[in-house]
Amino acid sequence: MRIFLSGGRGMVGRNSREHPLAKQHDIIAPVRPELDLLNFAEVKKSMKDAKPEVVVHTAGRVGGIIANMNAQGDFLIENFEMGKNLVMAAKELGVKKFINLGSSCIYPKTAPNPLKEESMLSGKFEPTNEGYGLAKMAVLKLCEFLSAQDKSLQYKTLIPPNLFGRYDNFDAVTSHFPAGVIRKIHQAVQAKKTSVELWGDGTARRELMSAHDLAGAIWFALDHLAQLPPVVNVGVNHDITILEYYQAAAEVIGFTGEWQFLLDKPVGMKQKIMDSQFFHQLGFKPTKSLRDGIKDSYDYFLTI
């Protein structure tokens, strides 16, 4: 198929383009200097020129807890505008298939784990990423409403868990915690430090998925689009503690020191694991272990 891919230079976009299943498609992935996703006229013209059969939306403004807390409004408006512009351009140009990438941040702070799609909007968002969560929810609902209004449209949203892997963002301020931990432990090894700071007590639990496996999930979803509900979790169906992630990263990087627990720092939700049984029963299987995913991420970090 001819596919218009947003976010082609991001972690998910680059992994999607490199995935073996991508070879069967003709992928057009305009990058930021070529296309401003916040400009609807530019988005529509670029999409019209590309003439895609499918749009895959992986672009977004993303970041860790501090980045989100410091710019809630920017995260809300930019992520909503990007998604809205792509969805509406696709609809106006007659593109019938759309894969929208959501986020587990859409789930309420108090929703029971494992998180099920029906628990969306049953409570308040996690405060540390409320702006981002609201934006993702609005675009998700736009896809759902348009598909309900026009039965010829298959605009589906995939909800992944926390991501890590090749092409991650390792910036000290804007990185998510998996990349931030790798950078922090690497720097500790280089400086011969005997301890590394860990926010919280390490018991918060997260579901982690390699960007390579999410790329596989996207191409798998495209082959099963008609069978998917409007919104579907695409996780790995198991979680680990934050401390376990630190320990696994330490093994890969070669850190043998101790952890300094900062109990006054924000840690977000106590647990966040999704119920992805439907997607797995359809036939999808992740291929990357936690250690292999960390190694992919760390090997890439060493090249930048």
Side-chain angles (χ1 to χ4, degrees):
M1 291 186 176
R2 190 168 176 82
I3 295 169
F4 188 96
L5 173 71
S6 74
R9 277 189 180 167
M11 176 172 65
V12 177
R14 292 176 74 176
N15 276 278
S16 297
R17 294 169 69 183
E18 290 184 358
H19 196 279
L21 294 176
K23 296 177 181 178
Q24 60 189 304
H25 302 295
D26 177 18
I27 300 174
I28 302 95
V31 295
R32 188 169 298 174
E34 304 166 345
L35 174 62
D36 180 4
L37 292 176
L38 299 177
N39 186 312
F40 178 72
E42 285 190 29
V43 171
K44 187 173 179 180
K45 182 182 185 305
S46 180
M47 197 179 294
K48 183 177 181 180
D49 293 342
K51 298 180 174 62
E53 299 168 80
V54 184
V55 174
V56 178
H57 176 34
T58 73
R61 177 168 178 171
V62 296
I65 287 180
I66 296 301
N68 272 273
M69 290 175 65
N70 290 340
Q72 294 270 23
D74 294 337
F75 273 81
L76 192 162
I77 193 63
E78 290 184 23
N79 284 292
F80 173 67
E81 285 293 327
M82 288 183 214
K84 182 260 296 180
N85 288 344
L86 285 159
V87 171
M88 295 311 298
K91 178 182 181 297
E92 291 185 17
L93 294 170
V95 180
K96 300 299 184 182
K97 297 180 179 181
F98 194 111
I99 293 180
N100 172 49
L101 202 63
S103 167
S104 59
C105 293
I106 65 170
Y107 283 106
K109 178 181 175 68
T110 58
N113 283 272
L115 301 165
K116 298 178 183 293
E117 294 89 345
E118 54 264 31
S119 70
M120 292 185 303
L121 296 177
S122 64
K124 294 183 178 181
F125 290 92
E126 159 59 39
T128 58
N129 51 37
E130 184 177 9
Y132 181 74
L134 282 166
K136 285 295 187 178
M137 177 58 73
V139 178
L140 177 159
K141 281 298 182 182
L142 180 59
C143 290
E144 185 178 339
F145 292 156
L146 293 179
S147 296
Q149 291 172 209
D150 182 348
K151 301 301 183 183
S152 72
L153 300 181
Q154 295 181 34
Y155 287 13
K156 308 294 178 72
T157 297
L158 310 183
I159 307 297
N162 289 80
L163 300 173
F164 67 112
R166 283 173 58 79
Y167 310 121
D168 208 341
N169 168 28
F170 292 89
D171 182 83
V173 177
T174 61
S175 64
H176 282 103
F177 95 85
V181 169
I182 287 174
R183 184 197 68 253
K184 184 162 52 175
I185 294 178
H186 170 82
Q187 290 174 344
V189 171
Q190 295 298 301
K192 296 182 169 55
K193 292 183 178 180
T194 58
S195 67
V196 166
E197 293 180 348
L198 189 161
W199 285 20
D201 62 5
T203 62
R205 304 187 67 88
R206 290 293 180 269
E207 181 180 10
L208 295 168
M209 185 181 206
S210 77
H212 172 84
D213 279 336
L214 178 57
I218 289 170
W219 300 127
F220 179 86
L222 182 57
D223 289 338
H224 298 81
L225 207 58
Q227 298 167 263
L228 296 181
V231 183
V232 62
N233 292 333
V234 295
V236 297
N237 269 336
H238 61 83
D239 63 355
I240 61 172
T241 66
I242 299 296
L243 178 57
E244 287 171 332
Y245 179 78
Y246 270 77
Q247 292 169 333
E251 290 178 10
V252 171
I253 298 168
F255 176 73
T256 57
E258 299 179 342
W259 310 114
Q260 181 183 354
F261 298 97
L262 304 183
L263 302 181
D264 60 333
K265 296 293 186 180
V267 296
M269 294 168 68
K270 190 64 177 175
Q271 183 183 27
K272 192 160 64 171
I273 179 174
M274 304 187 307
D275 182 344
S276 300
Q277 289 296 327
F278 178 88
F279 202 63
H280 284 234
Q281 289 170 0
L282 203 56
F284 172 74
K285 299 298 178 190
T287 62
K288 289 279 185 180
S289 69
L290 174 66
R291 186 181 179 87
D292 287 343
I294 292 174
K295 188 176 186 305
D296 286 348
S297 187
Y298 185 53
D299 287 347
Y300 171 71
F301 172 76
L302 293 176
T303 70
I304 60 177

